[in-house]
Amino acid sequence: MTDNAPSISSRSRVSPLWIIPIVALVAGVWMVAQSYLSEGPTITINFETAEGLAAGKTKVKMLSVDVGLVEEVTLNEAMDGVEVTVSLEKAVTDLLREDTEFWVVRARVGAGGISGVGTLLSGGYIQMAPGTGSPGERAFTGLEIPPRTPVGAPGTRLTLNSAEASISAGDPIIYEGFKVGRVESMVFDTEIKRARYEIFIDAPYNQLVHENTRFWNVSGFGIDASAEGVALRVGTMDTILLGGVAFGTPPGLDDGASVTDGAEFRLYRTYEDILK
């Protein structure tokens, strides 16, 4: 008698219908992983006001290239300013350092001229200037006034003190008629009761400053009277409109040693005051 009992296999078979959800799951995990790996850092920047800032619209730029976007603008905990949350591209992560600077670019009119005119049509944006300090910073305090000199620019920063507030931030530093630097800021020191100016002289012109260098205020014009007659001194167009600071070594003095960052000099009212 022939045994006609059916043959039963113990192997399990996966239905082809499961292939689609498995592929979809793998693709979803891959997309999430790629998004995470390519996602840039999120930082916060504190400003005094939200003027020119809008969540989802205001961009962050560096060298005129978009590198981020403002995600949220809220009041800070002290209710005396705003906290801006910004998402940046991963490519600029290494540029976030303790001295990295941010400021809002908008139309401004000041002693240094007119800036940000293009934002009248396109709207304001946040400018990013990379720093050189320790990396890894994620919370910043934005500048309310754009820096006169970028971080890391070659040159020398000096301090001038004067008995009167005769110049302003943005005024040029002049050497032999050439603009070689700028006044970055001005404060009044209540302890010594004198105005203090922070100035920056660009390289390689900073090599012209020595310990016997003198700085004096140059107005638009002046009058020199002597036995030979009266002579009218006229400065450059910049100094005629805005004023400025000139420097040099008076006749009869050696230049002396070179100076480094932070050196302090007196600002004289006129060149004639130096000669006296």
Side-chain angles (χ1 to χ4, degrees):
M1 182 174 178
T2 304
D3 187 2
N4 294 325
S7 176
I8 301 175
S9 175
S10 61
R11 293 182 301 172
S12 61
R13 302 179 63 184
V14 178
S15 172
L17 296 177
W18 284 101
I19 296 178
I20 296 177
I22 292 175
V23 171
L25 177 62
V26 172
V29 171
W30 181 83
M31 292 176 65
V32 171
Q34 283 293 105
S35 176
Y36 175 78
L37 293 175
S38 62
E39 186 178 28
T42 297
I43 65 171
T44 58
I45 311 173
N46 286 282
F47 290 103
E48 291 184 359
T49 72
E51 181 184 358
L53 302 174
K57 295 182 179 180
T58 303
K59 298 178 180 180
V60 180
K61 297 186 178 186
M62 189 180 74
L63 300 178
S64 298
V65 176
D66 295 346
V67 296
L69 183 69
V70 172
E71 299 290 346
E72 186 179 22
V73 181
T74 60
L75 291 172
N76 60 20
E77 294 183 358
M79 298 295 180
D80 59 358
V82 298
E83 184 176 272
V84 181
T85 303
V86 174
S87 61
L88 296 173
E89 295 183 0
K90 188 175 182 179
V92 300
T93 301
D94 292 340
L95 303 180
L96 295 174
R97 299 173 179 267
E98 60 182 358
D99 57 346
T100 297
E101 296 177 335
F102 296 89
W103 65 92
V104 180
V105 177
R106 60 175 77 96
R108 300 175 187 269
V109 179
I114 301 175
S115 62
V117 177
T119 61
L120 294 175
L121 298 177
S122 62
Y125 60 89
I126 296 177
Q127 180 71 47
M128 174 181 172
T132 58
S134 301
E137 190 67 34
R138 293 296 183 269
F140 302 88
T141 298
L143 303 177
E144 298 304 321
I145 300 177
R148 307 286 177 180
T149 306
V151 174
T156 303
R157 284 184 167 82
L158 305 172
T159 299
L160 305 181
N161 68 76
S162 171
E164 57 185 14
S166 54
I167 57 176
S168 304
D171 286 354
I173 306 297
I174 307 296
Y175 183 83
E176 298 292 344
F178 293 94
K179 182 178 178 180
V180 299
R182 66 210 57 85
V183 179
E184 293 193 310
S185 64
M186 187 276 284
V187 296
F188 185 78
D189 192 323
T190 56
E191 293 185 3
I192 63 175
K193 295 181 175 59
R194 295 178 69 88
R196 297 176 65 88
Y197 302 95
E198 301 298 325
I199 69 171
F200 186 87
I201 300 180
D202 300 312
Y205 309 109
N206 57 330
Q207 300 174 13
L208 300 171
V209 182
H210 301 83
E211 61 181 358
N212 287 330
T213 296
R214 300 291 186 266
F215 292 81
W216 65 93
N217 184 15
V218 284
S219 58
F221 58 90
I223 298 177
D224 295 328
S226 65
E228 298 179 355
V230 177
L232 177 66
R233 290 182 287 103
V234 180
T236 64
M237 184 58 67
D238 283 344
T239 60
I240 291 174
L241 297 176
L242 303 173
V245 175
F247 69 92
T249 302
L253 282 181
D254 294 330
D255 288 339
S258 299
V259 299
T260 57
D261 274 356
E264 185 165 339
F265 294 85
R266 174 184 172 185
L267 176 63
Y268 291 84
R269 291 185 66 252
T270 65
Y271 182 70
E272 287 72 24
D273 287 345
I274 296 174
L275 299 181
K276 292 176 183 179

